[in-house]
Amino acid sequence: MSEFHSKIKTVEWIKTSELDGISRMVDQTLIPYEYKKIDIKTTKQMYDAIKTMIVRGAPAIGISGAHGVALCAIELLKKNEENFVEELKKGIDYLNSSRPTAVNLSWALNEQLKIVEKGGTKEEITHALIENAIKLENEDIEINKKIGDFGAQIVPKGATILTHCNAGALATVGYGTALGVVRSAYANDNTIQVFADETRPRQQGARITTFELVEDGIPVTLITDGMCSYFMKKGMIDVVVVGADRIAANGDTANKIGTYTVAIAAKYHNVPFYIAAPKSTIDMSIKTGDEIPIELRGEEEVTTINGKKICADGVKVINPSFDVTPNELIDGIITECGIFKPQELKNLFMKS
Ligand code: MRU
C-alpha cells in the first residue's frame, strides 16, 4: 500500500483541549478533482455534511455522527445550557435524521447515548463523549484491517474482483471494507485486479474507488453499471465484493442502488458474491430487508451530470439511493469476526 493512502483518515477528531475540538474530514464531493479537508465545528454543520454527502459511506457517517454528538455537547457546555442532557438527546435525534439507511449512524449515536445516560456533570459527559468518539474512530481502522484479512482468504490467486460504489478508505475512517479486502488480497498477491462499477447517479465508483486504487497502484478498470453481466459471461470476473449499509437478521443486505442487479448477474453466472461489513452494520432488530428504510434522494442527481441536464425537461424521476440484495444471492458476509453465511449471523451475536 502506498504511504499516502495507508495514511488516509477520512474523518478525524482534532482535540484542541480536553473539553473542546473539531471534526476534520475529507470533502468527498470534490474527489477526484481535489483532495481537501474541511473542519466541522457544530452539530448543524455535521448534519449538513452527512446529508449533502461531504462525508459518505456507512462506517464514515457513523463515526461522523459520534463526532457530531461530541460537538453538540461542546456547544451546549459553552452556552451553559440548563437542560444539557435533554438538549443533547435532541441533538442525537437531529443527527440521526440526516440519512436513514446506513444503520452505522444510529449504532454510533446509540453508543454515544449510552455515555450520556451514564450521567455526570456537563464537563464529565462532554469529556466522555469526546473520548468515546476518538475510541470509535480508532477502532474502525482496526476492524477494517481484520475484515480485509479474513476477506483476502476468499480471493483466488490472480483474481479479478468486481466492486460497486465505494466501500474503501473514504467510506470508513481508513482502509475500507470491500476495498480493505482488495488491499489485503493485493498485499499477498499483486496479480489481482479490480473492476469498479461507475455507480450512477453519484459516481462513487468512478470518482472515489478509482481515485483510491489508482493512488495505491492497485490495477483498476472502470466499467459502467450495465456492463457487469457482459464481463461475467466472458468469465472475466472471479468474485464480487461490495460493502453494506444495513444487514437484516436474515442476511438481506442494503447497499448502493445497483448492488442487487450485480448480485443477480453473479448468481446467474456462478460468480461468488460477498458482502464486507463490520458487525455494526448488522441490524438484528429487523428480521428481513423489507424493513430497511430506503433513502430517496433529489431528482437532480439523475437528471444532471456535473450540473448539466441530460434529459428532457419535465420528465418524471425516482431516485432510491439503496437497494436490498436478498440473502439467497449472498455467498458470505465478511466481518471482523470471520466470514458468515447469511443464515449464521445470529451465531455471530451469540458468541460476543
Ligand atoms: O450513498 P453512499 O455513498 O453513502 O453509499 C455508500 C455505500 O453504499 C457503501 O457501499 C456502503 O456504505 C458501505 S461503505 C464501507
Side-chain angles (χ1 to χ4, degrees):
M1 212 190 315
S2 76
E3 270 298 283
F4 173 68
H5 269 289
S6 60
K7 282 189 189 148
I8 257 195
K9 258 205 149 181
T10 302
V11 56
E12 182 173 19
W13 185 262
I14 307 292
K15 219 183 213 185
T16 51
S17 81
E18 288 307 306
L19 290 176
D20 206 352
I22 52 170
S23 178
R24 183 162 291 163
M25 60 174 62
V26 178
D27 183 345
Q28 300 193 41
T29 61
L30 303 176
I31 292 177
Y33 310 111
E34 219 182 315
Y35 183 82
K36 187 179 137 191
K37 294 199 176 185
I38 59 164
D39 290 344
I40 301 293
K41 298 177 181 160
T42 66
T43 324
K44 165 86 171 73
Q45 284 174 2
M46 185 58 85
Y47 172 93
D48 290 342
I50 296 172
K51 181 129 193 126
T52 62
M53 294 171 70
I54 285 172
V55 62
R56 36 69 48 201
I61 65 174
I63 302 304
S64 301
H67 285 190
V69 182
L71 291 172
C72 185
I74 292 168
E75 283 178 88
L76 295 170
L77 188 62
K78 285 181 182 167
K79 277 203 308 200
N80 200 16
E81 173 62 53
E82 245 175 61
N83 302 317
F84 184 78
V85 167
E86 204 179 300
E87 289 303 313
L88 203 42
K89 287 184 179 172
K90 278 190 200 158
I92 291 175
D93 288 344
Y94 172 62
L95 288 163
N96 201 26
S97 68
S98 54
R99 289 192 80 187
T101 303
V103 74
N104 308 61
L105 178 59
S106 46
W107 173 84
L109 293 173
N110 200 41
E111 292 298 300
Q112 291 290 54
L113 183 62
K114 287 182 200 164
I115 301 279
V116 177
E117 281 175 345
K118 269 190 197 155
T121 63
K122 291 175 199 174
E123 286 78 8
E124 282 165 349
I125 295 174
T126 304
H127 184 253
L129 288 171
I130 292 173
E131 292 306 314
N132 198 42
I134 296 170
K135 174 176 153 283
L136 295 174
E137 177 190 311
N138 291 333
E139 282 173 358
D140 183 72
I141 299 184
E142 293 315 309
I143 287 170
N144 294 335
K145 288 189 174 159
K146 286 185 189 157
I147 292 173
D149 291 344
F150 280 119
Q153 296 166 16
I154 57 91
V155 177
K157 189 159 175 37
T160 298
I161 305 166
L162 177 82
T163 194
H164 188 76
C165 193
N166 173 265
L170 285 159
T172 60
V173 177
Y175 205 69
T177 57
L179 293 193
V181 172
V182 166
R183 289 191 163 96
S184 294
Y186 188 78
N188 301 336
D189 169 15
N190 67 5
T191 66
I192 66 149
Q193 61 166 321
V194 174
F195 269 39
D197 278 348
E198 173 194 15
T199 318
R200 275 283 288 151
R202 301 268 313 199
Q203 281 124 346
Q204 291 94 328
R207 295 190 302 106
I208 304 173
T209 295
T210 68
F211 172 80
E212 282 193 27
L213 294 178
V214 167
E215 287 288 337
D216 269 10
I218 299 175
V220 55
T221 302
L222 176 64
I223 62 173
T224 65
D225 293 354
M227 293 178 185
C228 74
S229 41
Y230 173 85
F231 289 111
M232 285 178 186
K233 181 157 192 222
K234 283 183 169 290
M236 288 171 67
I237 308 292
D238 299 296
V239 58
V240 178
V241 186
V242 297
D245 287 84
R246 192 186 297 232
I247 303 172
N250 72 344
D252 291 350
T253 296
N255 191 48
K256 181 52 55 196
I257 192 80
T259 303
Y260 180 24
T261 313
V262 175
I264 292 169
K267 185 63 138 191
Y268 185 78
H269 294 98
N270 286 319
V271 175
F273 180 94
Y274 287 90
I275 302 291
K279 239 176 107 175
S280 54
T281 306
I282 303 168
D283 184 353
M284 292 303 282
S285 75
I286 57 168
K287 287 198 182 110
T288 76
D290 292 341
E291 294 168 65
I292 299 176
I294 299 295
E295 178 183 11
L296 284 175
R297 293 192 64 89
E299 295 187 0
E300 71 294 342
E301 290 186 350
V302 177
T303 57
T304 59
I305 291 183
N306 283 342
K308 202 165 179 201
K309 199 97 189 261
I310 56 156
C311 56
D313 283 340
V315 69
K316 275 192 204 158
V317 174
I318 314 180
N319 183 19
S321 196
F322 301 93
D323 58 26
V324 176
T325 299
N327 58 10
E328 64 265 28
L329 301 182
I330 299 169
D331 289 286
I333 298 171
I334 306 162
T335 72
E336 67 272 32
C337 304
I339 305 176
F340 296 82
K341 294 269 171 220
Q343 306 76 6
E344 294 169 348
L345 289 180
K346 269 194 197 96
N347 307 345
L348 174 58
F349 284 85
M350 266 150 42
K351 270 183 211 158
S352 64

